[in-house]
Amino acid sequence: MTLTRREAISLLGAGAGVGLASRLGFAQNAGTQPAFERGAVIRALLKDVAPATIDGPVLFHEHLSIRYPLTKAMAEAQGRPVPVSFSDDVDLMIAETKAAGADGVRCIVDGGHPDMDRDLDALKRIAAGSGVHVVASGGFYMQRNYPADIATKTADQIADQLVQDAKAQRLGAFGEIGQQGGTLTDDERKVFTAVAKAQARTGLPVFTHNAYTGVRVANPPIPMDAALKQLDVLEAGGADVKHVAIGHVCCLDDPKAEIAQQLAKRGVFVGFDRVGLSVIIPDEKRVAMVLALLDAGHADHLLLSSDFANGRALKKNGGPGIALTVTTFAPMLTKAGVSEAVLRRILVDNPRRFLAVVPKV
Ligand SMILES: [Zn+2]
Ligand SMILES: [Zn+2]
């Protein structure tokens, strides 16, 4: 591969990750584009974005506005003080998101919704102030976060609400849609069905949350096939697998990536979306699973992100920052032998294909 002058400068001038991100974006401009459906857009909060104009990495599951694990509603119900969240300081989140942009990130999907205290106005300020496209999501997180009326509504009623929210609030995805244990509760199954119906009606992509505990022992254990069962419910509800990402698969200790491979074969994206979260599973194991997935020919089904939700990881606090997928994890893949062309597909092309839809609302 011949380096252009600009590529050579980025190689010489920046830290490994920043240089890599810069080269990914640059190569994308010069290279081929994946086929996007005519009229497809990425529905960012401030405007619809033509996917071909995004020339760098897209992070499909991060949190720029969240209160976790104890939300305001939960704290009030328990008579406890509302805890402070790192993302309450919106100016700080603007600065950190801007820094992610400087690290090469062009678009970030926020994985929160109201039952995780995601603040839509904060996301709008972050998008406007950082210059990074922000996609906001709709949905419900997991049983313990559900508003009381989920229990009494039907899946169709919940789907109606999700479709209305998407339209009224310029939502660009449904996620993260989760389960808190190894088996879907009745309400969680209903929410998954509702989200599948809303996906079919709006076209918007869906990403999920799993309860996989990595190398830690869970009691009771989380079944290996929990991710496959989520997909069963989404498919039965009519979701388009091309716009579904089953999440947190990188938190399953599965050295040969067998579950990930089964998911990819069924046409969905596989979310390796907790990279950097080494308390659950060391990143070295994630790298090995990525290699297994790539060796099996599934590069086009892999999505990377870090599920950023911890103030200690902010640059201000000495952490790697929101772009750690690009600045920390991607260089590990490079070192393991993954080519820049494949990395570009994974970090730039795959998330654009996942997110770009012809909106039906
Ligand atoms: Zn999650
Ligand atoms: Zn998340």
Side-chain angles (χ1 to χ4, degrees):
M1 175 182 150
T2 314
L3 290 179
T4 65
R5 184 167 169 276
R6 182 172 154 190
E7 285 172 316
I9 288 167
S10 77
L11 270 170
L12 291 169
V18 176
L20 177 65
S22 168
R23 295 201 300 286
L24 290 171
F26 185 76
Q28 171 58 37
N29 281 339
T32 54
Q33 292 277 353
F36 299 110
E37 209 180 328
R38 181 184 291 269
V41 297
I42 293 174
R43 176 142 289 177
L45 204 38
L46 300 184
K47 62 173 183 183
D48 285 347
V49 182
T53 63
I54 292 185
D55 63 352
V58 176
L59 301 176
F60 88 100
H61 183 157
E62 308 295 343
H63 294 280
L64 304 176
S65 174
I66 188 173
R67 192 174 323 282
Y68 177 86
L70 194 66
T71 63
K72 188 164 181 281
M74 287 176 183
E76 282 168 355
Q78 296 169 24
R80 297 162 65 180
V82 177
V84 172
S85 171
F86 69 95
S87 66
D88 291 344
D89 184 344
V90 178
D91 289 329
L92 171 63
M93 295 311 294
I94 292 171
E96 294 280 338
T97 305
K98 207 169 179 177
D103 283 339
V105 172
R106 293 290 171 264
C107 176
I108 298 175
V109 181
D110 184 275
H113 17 73
D115 70 5
M116 301 163 84
D117 287 359
R118 181 270 278 140
D119 178 340
L120 208 54
D121 289 327
L123 290 186
K124 284 181 193 164
R125 282 185 56 201
I126 292 166
S130 69
V132 174
H133 297 302
V134 174
V135 174
S137 306
F140 300 95
Y141 186 25
M142 60 170 72
Q143 185 74 51
R144 67 169 180 254
N145 291 62
Y146 289 162
D149 64 358
I150 288 288
T152 55
K153 282 182 171 169
T154 66
D156 282 315
Q157 287 171 325
I158 297 167
D160 285 345
Q161 182 187 339
L162 291 170
V163 173
Q164 278 168 25
D165 288 351
K167 196 172 173 179
Q169 300 167 15
R170 286 193 57 78
L171 306 179
F174 295 113
E176 61 184 296
I177 309 301
Q179 62 185 89
Q180 68 188 46
T183 311
L184 288 168
T185 66
D186 289 347
D187 282 347
E188 285 169 347
R189 178 175 293 274
K190 186 163 69 178
V191 167
F192 267 75
T193 300
V195 168
K197 287 168 179 271
Q199 193 290 322
R201 284 168 59 185
T202 60
L204 295 176
V206 173
F207 56 100
T208 75
H209 160 101
N210 264 292
Y212 291 136
T213 59
V215 294
R216 299 186 301 186
V217 177
N219 187 19
I222 309 296
M224 295 226 9
D225 64 358
L228 298 167
K229 294 220 161 116
Q230 288 188 343
L231 179 53
D232 291 343
V233 179
L234 291 174
E235 277 190 311
D240 176 357
V241 291
K242 292 194 301 300
H243 298 289
V244 169
I246 301 295
H248 303 350
V249 182
C250 62
C251 289
L252 179 64
D253 189 13
D254 180 16
K256 292 181 181 162
E258 285 168 22
I259 295 294
Q261 290 189 48
Q262 287 184 50
L263 289 166
K265 279 181 195 156
R266 288 171 65 177
V268 288
F269 287 100
V270 181
F272 272 51
D273 48 10
R274 284 187 143 176
V275 307
L277 214 56
S278 288
V279 292
I280 296 181
I281 202 162
D283 270 343
E284 289 72 17
K285 280 190 176 242
R286 292 193 175 95
V287 170
M289 290 193 284
V290 166
L291 294 180
L293 197 57
L294 299 183
D295 285 347
H298 297 302
D300 289 340
H301 290 272
L302 178 59
L303 289 175
L304 300 179
S305 213
S306 79
D307 199 4
F308 195 95
N310 185 335
R312 285 192 301 275
L314 293 169
K315 288 200 173 189
K316 179 191 171 223
N317 298 328
I322 296 165
L324 68 103
T325 302
V326 174
T327 56
T328 306
F329 190 74
M332 291 176 74
L333 293 178
T334 305
K335 208 172 160 191
V338 179
S339 72
E340 284 191 13
V342 170
L343 263 184
R344 191 171 68 245
R345 273 160 68 192
I346 295 167
L347 285 167
V348 186
D349 293 348
N350 290 357
R352 292 188 301 163
R353 288 192 297 113
F354 166 64
L355 292 172
V357 297
V358 180
K360 298 179 190 171
V361 291

